[in-house]
Amino acid sequence: MRHPILVFLSLPCLALSLPAAEATLVWVQGRVERLAPDNVVSRLAKGGNLAVGDTVRTGEDGGALIELPDGSRLKLRESSTLKLAQLDANAGERHTRLELLGGAMFSKVSKLQLSDTFTLRAATAIAGVRGTEFFTSYGRKVAGAAAIDVWLCVNEGAVEVKGSDEKAALVKAGEGLIVPEGRTVTKPKPNAWTNGLNWNMDPANGELRDRTR
């Protein structure tokens, strides 16, 4: 059995810790559903809230922009599934844990204190991040990768990615890499495809949907 991928973010914060709260749907396009912990499925709309344990699914025509309690934003592409496993703020610390079960997602993470964590699980590798904006794809064919590979690229900041063999690589802004079957990270390299992605996370700034193929 392969081990899941984890993306950890821990960085200095310029703001005070925020209390725990629900995530909010800032933008919705096409079909977007919530799968609650009790397996009840419901349709989501702009302004809807998501609680810990909820899973968000976008349809083939779908897309969603989610704002977390700390101001971080997540943009799900079509045919993607994300679980909100943890959204905690206790004793002045923030701990967020997400699970990308399939598809592709943009993440723009608010700055954290050194004791805070932001974790994204996506398939068999571990990545440590120092304040960043990055894109992760898993379970779909992207840029020549197999469907079970993990693709990660960085727009701002840097991400340390570690495969299941424990070997690590640092991905800097403008670079990307593939983790074949989540096992061994490839060498990060500049990739023009990274610059072609739609990194917009604000509906007021224009088109949100990413149509990169």
Side-chain angles (χ1 to χ4, degrees), residues 21-23 33-42 44 49-57 68-69 81-88 95-99 101:
E22 295 180 321
E33 298 177 329
R34 173 204 287 119
L35 175 63
D38 58 4
N39 292 323
V40 174
V41 178
S42 57
L44 287 170
N49 292 327
L50 296 164
V52 173
D54 284 344
T55 297
V56 185
R57 301 189 300 207
L68 301 182
T81 304
L82 175 72
K83 181 177 181 179
L84 304 181
Q86 182 181 17
L87 296 174
D88 288 342
H95 300 287
T96 302
R97 183 162 52 89
L98 311 170
E99 299 177 9
L101 304 177

Side-chain angles (χ1 to χ4, degrees), residues 4-16:
I5 178 178
L6 305 174
V7 176
F8 297 102
L9 295 90
S10 180
L11 33 138
C13 182
L14 300 179
L16 298 175

Side-chain angles (χ1 to χ4, degrees), residues 2-5 122-126 148 150 162-164 179-183:
R2 299 190 180 99
H3 303 285
I5 178 178
T124 49
I126 296 177
I148 56 175
V150 176
K162 185 182 295 183
S164 59
V179 188
E181 299 184 350
R183 296 178 180 175

Side-chain angles (χ1 to χ4, degrees), residues 77-143:
R77 281 190 51 153
E78 72 280 358
S79 302
S80 299
T81 304
L82 175 72
K83 181 177 181 179
L84 304 181
Q86 182 181 17
L87 296 174
D88 288 342
N90 298 315
E93 297 183 1
R94 300 202 322 256
H95 300 287
T96 302
R97 183 162 52 89
L98 311 170
E99 299 177 9
L100 182 62
L101 304 177
M105 183 176 75
F106 294 83
S107 303
K108 186 170 186 178
V109 181
S110 295
K111 292 186 177 180
L112 310 173
Q113 297 184 58
L114 292 176
S115 58
D116 298 339
T117 61
F118 187 106
T119 303
L120 170 63
R121 171 183 290 185
T124 49
I126 296 177
V129 183
R130 287 286 177 183
T132 193
E133 185 175 11
F134 64 104
F135 173 82
T136 311
S137 179
Y138 165 58
R140 60 184 299 163
K141 196 170 183 63
V142 175

Side-chain angles (χ1 to χ4, degrees), residues 19 24 26 58 60-61 63 65 84 91 97 99 101 103 118 127 165 172 195 213:
T24 303
V26 177
T58 58
E60 293 182 358
D61 64 340
L65 180 63
L84 304 181
R97 183 162 52 89
E99 299 177 9
L101 304 177
F118 187 106
D165 61 0
K172 300 177 182 179
N195 298 327
R213 296 297 177 190

